[in-house]
Amino acid sequence: MHHVSIRTADIHRAIAFYTLLGFEMEEQFTAGTTLACWMTGLKGRIELLQIPEPQAPPDCFHDEHYTGYYHLSFDLTEIVESLPDWLQSLNQRFADASDSMANGINPLQVLLTPRQQMIGPHVYEVAFIADADGLPLEFLRMMKNEQ
């Protein structure tokens, strides 16, 4: 996969959010009159597109009848030792940024605190947060026989 495209109401706020999440700017460009960029991080690439006159996104995390895009999922197995510790550190990074920056960064919105989930024969730590526009992002880490 080359990238995942995310429409945003405010590209500058979204860039600040994904930078705090660990992404780095790869390329900035325009698509017609739309501001856009590619960012890389967490073993993937995202494309951010600023949408003129945006409407609020559907609540695909809490609406059990919603169909369509649900969430992006990032595998942190090879990146972090503990998902709860990583999320706690991320939460602090966002709290510090929301206190000290005038870039529209809000405190991190955790949709699902880390918990263990059996998927096939493997046990994963799984957590969800909301991005700058409220879209759900999943983070998981396969546990290596840590039961």
Side-chain angles (χ1 to χ4, degrees), residues 6-11 13-14 17-18 48-49 54-58 109 130-136:
I6 302 169
R7 292 177 163 194
T8 179
D10 181 337
I11 197 165
R13 184 184 68 204
F17 175 91
Y18 283 98
L48 300 175
L49 296 168
Q55 298 177 2
Q109 181 184 1
D131 82 351
D133 290 285
L135 300 173

Side-chain angles (χ1 to χ4, degrees), residues 3-23:
H3 68 269
V4 174
S5 186
I6 302 169
R7 292 177 163 194
T8 179
D10 181 337
I11 197 165
H12 302 291
R13 184 184 68 204
I15 289 169
F17 175 91
Y18 283 98
T19 298
L20 284 170
L21 199 56
F23 283 79

Side-chain angles (χ1 to χ4, degrees), residues 61-62 70-71 83-84 86-88 90-91 108-117 119 124-131 135-140:
F61 188 77
H62 293 102
Y70 179 43
H71 64 270
L83 191 61
W86 176 82
L87 187 58
Q88 183 177 6
L90 184 66
N91 205 4
L108 190 64
Q109 181 184 1
V110 177
L111 301 173
L112 180 71
T113 57
R115 58 196 59 198
Q116 292 183 8
Q117 181 176 349
I119 302 173
Y124 289 85
E125 291 177 317
V126 178
F128 279 84
I129 66 171
D131 82 351
L135 300 173
L137 303 175
E138 178 185 38
F139 300 90
L140 54 83

Side-chain angles (χ1 to χ4, degrees), residues 118-124 142-143 145 147:
M118 188 78 150
I119 302 173
H122 304 287
V123 178
Y124 289 85
M142 186 170 64
M143 301 178 75
N145 299 323
Q147 296 160 352

Side-chain angles (χ1 to χ4, degrees), residues 15-81:
I15 289 169
F17 175 91
Y18 283 98
T19 298
L20 284 170
L21 199 56
F23 283 79
E24 294 181 358
M25 183 62 63
E26 180 180 336
E27 192 72 47
Q28 295 182 17
F29 56 98
T30 57
T33 60
T34 301
L35 297 175
C37 70
W38 286 340
M39 298 184 78
T40 54
L42 303 179
K43 298 173 25 178
R45 178 187 290 123
I46 59 172
E47 174 184 59
L48 300 175
L49 296 168
Q50 181 163 305
I51 301 303
E53 301 180 33
Q55 298 177 2
D59 185 357
C60 53
F61 188 77
H62 293 102
D63 181 354
E64 63 186 44
H65 302 289
Y66 170 81
T67 58
Y69 161 82
Y70 179 43
H71 64 270
L72 299 179
S73 181
F74 298 95
D75 183 355
L76 302 182
T77 302
E78 297 175 7
I79 299 172
V80 302
E81 293 292 320

